[in-house]
Amino acid sequence: MDDRLPDRWRGATCTQLPEVQEGLANPSAMTPAWIRKLENGPAQQNLKLVLNTLAPPSIEEYQDGTPLVYFLPKENSKPYRPNWKHLLALSDNPDCGVSKVIPFMSNHKELVKGLKTLYPEMNTNNAEGVMWAWRLLSPKWRGKWDKKKGELPRDYGEPNNKKIMIVFTDGDHLIDEAMRDRKQVSLCREMKKKGIEIIAIDFNNRSQSMQSCASPGQYYPANNRTIRTVLQQVATTLNKIELVE
């Protein structure tokens, strides 16, 4: 791909939301079969890149100060004509952000370092986060995340191995609420069928979709006053689980 293509210089490229890519018109189109396909490995996914062709980007930089890259053909600049398909501008997509997936951290130092790379960007999409968390736990993505840990993720139901997802959010879906709520709850349902335990922490928020996502007894509403206690409860729950390296 051309080096001038936005996102390439920082080693990140965003893909379209599956429901947008496939043109799903309403929540009922998210059938269980469609949801289960989202677990498939990259070779079975028809992933398409997000390419923003409207000029210019709506913001100049991301939360961490990273500037948005913008490429404008000089032949289509004054004025810019977005209907000229042969001479389109390209820019970073503001909704993609700069935070990346950091897989298989094994100690506190790595966790703190990873947290420092996370930045809030644009709109809440818990459903998309849940989808990628499933892929981090799914054996269908084995060897795709870290070449040095090619045996991960392990199979479901493997002895002495427990798969757990913690969902932590401070907000509801504000865009495409019905679609994203349906997607999130449906993903959680399929994950629990695979034996994945889901811990949901709802910070300064009370979300029905978060309650539905959580495994029995694992929904934790929290606020500024109680968040430390809640996190201690979650840590205690995790410490009771025997993990293998």
Side-chain angles (χ1 to χ4, degrees), residues 27-207:
S28 63
M30 293 182 175
T31 63
W34 186 85
I35 290 292
R36 286 192 289 270
K37 286 195 304 180
L38 298 180
E39 182 195 7
N40 289 339
Q44 288 75 46
Q45 300 278 353
N46 182 25
L47 301 177
K48 293 184 179 181
L49 303 181
V50 171
L51 299 177
N52 186 25
T53 59
L54 299 178
S58 58
I59 58 176
E60 294 183 356
E61 62 182 31
Y62 293 107
Q63 288 282 346
D64 70 338
T66 300
L68 273 78
V69 176
Y70 178 56
F71 171 67
L72 179 66
K74 62 180 181 180
E75 299 87 352
N76 185 16
S77 58
K78 296 181 181 179
Y80 176 68
R81 299 176 176 84
N83 60 324
W84 283 20
K85 305 301 182 182
H86 61 300
L87 286 174
L88 289 176
L90 290 174
S91 73
D92 277 331
N93 191 301
D95 207 23
C96 286
V98 292
S99 304
K100 63 180 182 180
V101 174
I102 305 177
F104 310 138
M105 293 175 284
S106 58
N107 56 61
H108 181 263
K109 184 177 180 180
E110 289 181 357
L111 175 61
V112 172
K113 182 179 178 180
L115 289 174
K116 289 181 179 180
T117 69
L118 301 179
Y119 297 90
E121 301 286 353
M122 305 301 284
N123 301 297
T124 297
N125 193 342
N126 299 324
E128 195 71 0
V130 168
M131 182 187 75
W132 283 101
W134 189 8
R135 291 170 176 176
L136 279 166
L137 296 171
S138 171
K140 293 184 177 182
W141 287 72
R142 180 174 296 150
K144 303 301 182 183
W145 294 110
D146 189 337
K147 293 181 179 179
K148 296 180 180 179
K149 299 177 181 179
E151 77 282 7
L152 300 177
R154 296 186 177 94
D155 288 335
Y156 296 117
E158 188 171 311
N160 300 319
N161 187 64
K162 183 73 173 179
K163 295 179 184 284
I164 302 171
M165 176 180 71
I166 299 176
V167 188
F168 190 122
T169 187
D170 65 349
D172 293 322
H173 295 129
L174 301 178
I175 295 178
D176 295 332
E177 179 181 359
M179 293 283 283
R180 293 182 178 184
D181 283 353
R182 171 72 171 261
K183 181 180 177 184
Q184 178 183 344
V185 172
S186 299
L187 283 165
C188 289
R189 182 182 301 116
E190 295 299 327
M191 292 173 71
K192 286 183 283 190
K193 288 180 181 178
K194 298 284 189 178
I196 298 172
E197 184 170 350
I198 300 176
I199 298 172
I201 303 174
D202 223 354
F203 184 63
N204 286 333
N205 192 53
R206 288 295 182 101
S207 167

Side-chain angles (χ1 to χ4, degrees), residues 228-243:
R228 288 184 179 273
T229 300
V230 167
L231 292 177
Q232 288 171 352
Q233 290 176 320
V234 171
T236 299
T237 298
L238 296 177
N239 286 336
K240 291 180 180 178
I241 301 172
E242 182 180 354
L243 300 177

